[in-house]
Amino acid sequence: MQAFPDELSSREAWLEPFDWYREMRESAPVRYDPSRGCWDVFRYADVKRILGDDGTFSVNPRLADDFQEPERPEEGLLFETMLFKDPPRHDELRGVVDDAFEPRAIRALEPEIRELATDLLSDALADDRGELDVVDDFAYPLPVVVIAELLGVPAEDREQFKRWSDTLVESSSADDETEAFLERQQQAQMEMASYFFEMIADRRESPRDDLMSQIVTRELEDGSRLSEEGALGTCILLLIAGNITTTNLVTNAVRCFDAHDLFDELRAEPDAIGRAIEEVLRYRSPVQAMSRVATEDVTLRDAEIESGDRVVAWLGSANRDERQFEDADAFVPDRSPNQHLGFGHGTHYCLGAPLARLEASVALEELCTRTATIETVDADLQPVRSSLIYGVESLPIRYERS
Ligand code: HEM
């Protein structure tokens, strides 16, 4: 996606963009930003309409007038996946994996996810420091290992797998030579691609009971199967779409629960964690914005959007819109109803939502059970380096064990 709007370019602004969103919802709910060459849309009703109308607002970046081939090598592969395809191709591609992510299939993974969360916490709580980093010690490794297990990556390769995944989600930064960054990315992508190509060949030859086998053997509507590149793109999409987002959901939840003194309450009533996580998805949405391209001239409020224009739908702002949510800037852990757009809406509604919800609730249940107190250490929070993902790079907490 294009760079940040100028208004959010400072660290402070991106850590707390919500006042700016409010101003924009009131004064310029649909505005054109000449410096990025795209439209920004801030109100709930408009964001929902854009995500729900893929005839008018396409996910295909190639339709944009100012489209340029991406610098990051894996993006080209991603453009062939469901995330960047409109129906009917989208539905066909999503159909290759969607049953594996249905709530019933995902519920069956709970014991494994719990074991993994417990192991990670046992390690993190082992050395009696009384401090841990929520991101590095817990929220980051959990989803990477879960998706590796689902795909069928053997246990002994998971560390390597995690390192590739780290590199792929890393963004370039001002103090990083772009060339060195691109080289690292290319190297990781090549290694990971050749690893996956081997796995793909192996599962074609002798399918097993894992997601990789499903990705390579499932028939498409015309009886064909995904090409090697198609299968690889799907794997990378699952990694990229599922890991950093879930990490930030868990981290943002710890921030919210601490800020609102909820840990004791949630320890006493773990069943309330699920609903509190929905409120985190609304209040500090791990994905703040999604991009679309207008496929025809369209008027939104008083804005004349032209075919080929890029449109950024600000989920993070929609989720704070007073027109939809009473007391929208308050964190209400048992908010109901809570029709947030944290997982998107419509055709591209998050495939991994049931998995993300399960991982986050198990992670927070275990964190609550195994500690008697938690407080975030007053640290200089650094926002995640991404114009789309919202969270912090690291979140140190002090705890007492239960
Ligand atoms: C799509 C958010 C976790 C896989 C989306 C979209 C959002 C989103 C907003 C819509 C994109 C659009 O409209 O263009 C999140 C959040 C997560 C999360 C906040 C965690 C808290 C996951 C996980 C997986 C996953 C765990 C899989 C392992 C996907 C896929 C799509 C998607 C494949 C594309 C669906 C499609 O195009 O039909 N996600 N996601 N996500 N997500 Fe997630």
Side-chain angles (χ1 to χ4, degrees), residues 113-114 117-118 120-121 138-139 142-143 246 249-251 254 263 273 277 356-370:
I113 294 177
R114 198 169 292 279
T118 332
L120 287 169
L121 271 180
F138 190 46
L142 183 71
T246 309
L249 175 56
V250 173
T251 314
V254 173
F263 276 112
I273 289 178
I277 287 172
R357 287 185 164 121
L358 179 64
E359 287 182 43
S361 17
V362 167
L364 286 147
E365 277 162 34
E366 292 303 321
L367 190 63
C368 283
T369 319
R370 296 169 138 257

Side-chain angles (χ1 to χ4, degrees), residues 187-204:
Q187 180 68 21
Q189 203 211 348
M190 264 161 38
E191 287 175 16
M192 190 161 174
S194 66
Y195 181 86
F196 274 139
F197 279 143
E198 256 177 55
M199 242 181 119
I200 289 167
D202 175 72
R203 300 307 196 272
R204 277 225 166 106

Side-chain angles (χ1 to χ4, degrees), residues 53-234:
D53 180 359
D54 38 32
T56 314
F57 298 99
S58 166
V59 286
N60 182 353
R62 293 202 158 89
L63 298 181
D65 287 341
D66 63 354
F67 176 76
Q68 287 177 341
E69 282 302 327
E71 276 185 17
R72 288 171 64 125
E74 80 282 4
E75 274 179 38
L77 273 176
L78 282 181
F79 284 174
E80 301 307 314
T81 67
M82 67 183 105
L83 186 62
F84 293 111
K85 292 284 177 192
D86 297 316
R89 181 66 175 158
H90 164 272
D91 304 355
E92 195 175 37
L93 293 172
R94 186 160 166 143
V96 171
V97 285
D98 62 356
D99 54 341
F101 289 92
E102 275 170 10
R104 202 163 45 92
I106 292 301
R107 267 199 301 277
L109 302 175
E110 181 175 339
E112 281 166 79
I113 294 177
R114 198 169 292 279
E115 196 185 321
L116 188 62
T118 332
D119 285 353
L120 287 169
L121 271 180
S122 300
D123 287 350
L125 301 175
D127 64 4
D128 275 332
R129 277 177 303 152
E131 270 189 35
L132 62 84
D133 181 42
V134 177
V135 180
D136 284 350
D137 294 331
F138 190 46
Y140 178 72
L142 183 71
V144 181
V145 178
V146 170
I147 198 70
E149 271 193 42
L150 257 180
L151 283 170
V153 173
E156 64 271 21
D157 296 340
R158 280 186 204 140
E159 266 305 308
Q160 177 59 65
F161 187 80
K162 192 168 148 299
R163 280 197 293 274
W164 286 325
S165 165
D166 293 356
T167 314
L168 287 184
V169 297
E170 201 186 318
S171 334
S172 139
S173 70
D175 55 358
D176 191 0
E177 290 295 323
T178 312
E179 216 169 289
F181 164 75
L182 278 176
E183 240 169 63
R184 258 200 327 278
Q185 294 262 314
Q186 263 156 7
Q187 180 68 21
Q189 203 211 348
M190 264 161 38
E191 287 175 16
M192 190 161 174
S194 66
Y195 181 86
F196 274 139
F197 279 143
E198 256 177 55
M199 242 181 119
I200 289 167
D202 175 72
R203 300 307 196 272
R204 277 225 166 106
E205 196 61 33
S206 34
R208 303 185 200 169
D209 186 19
D210 59 31
L211 187 57
M212 182 65 96
S213 303
Q214 176 167 334
I215 291 171
V216 300
T217 57
R218 181 70 52 98
E219 282 189 11
L220 304 174
E221 266 153 38
D222 62 359
S224 69
R225 302 202 161 97
L226 281 184
S227 65
E228 279 197 330
E229 283 73 24
L232 176 64
T234 307

Side-chain angles (χ1 to χ4, degrees), residues 51 59 82-83 90 94 101 147 237-238 241-242 245-246 249 281 286-287 290 292 315 341-344 347-353 355-356 359:
L51 300 182
V59 286
M82 67 183 105
L83 186 62
H90 164 272
R94 186 160 166 143
F101 289 92
I147 198 70
L237 172 64
L238 294 176
T245 46
T246 309
L249 175 56
L281 282 158
V287 175
M290 290 315 307
R292 296 291 189 266
L315 310 179
L341 301 176
F343 286 124
T347 303
H348 297 274
Y349 181 82
C350 177
L351 173 78
L355 178 59
E359 287 182 43

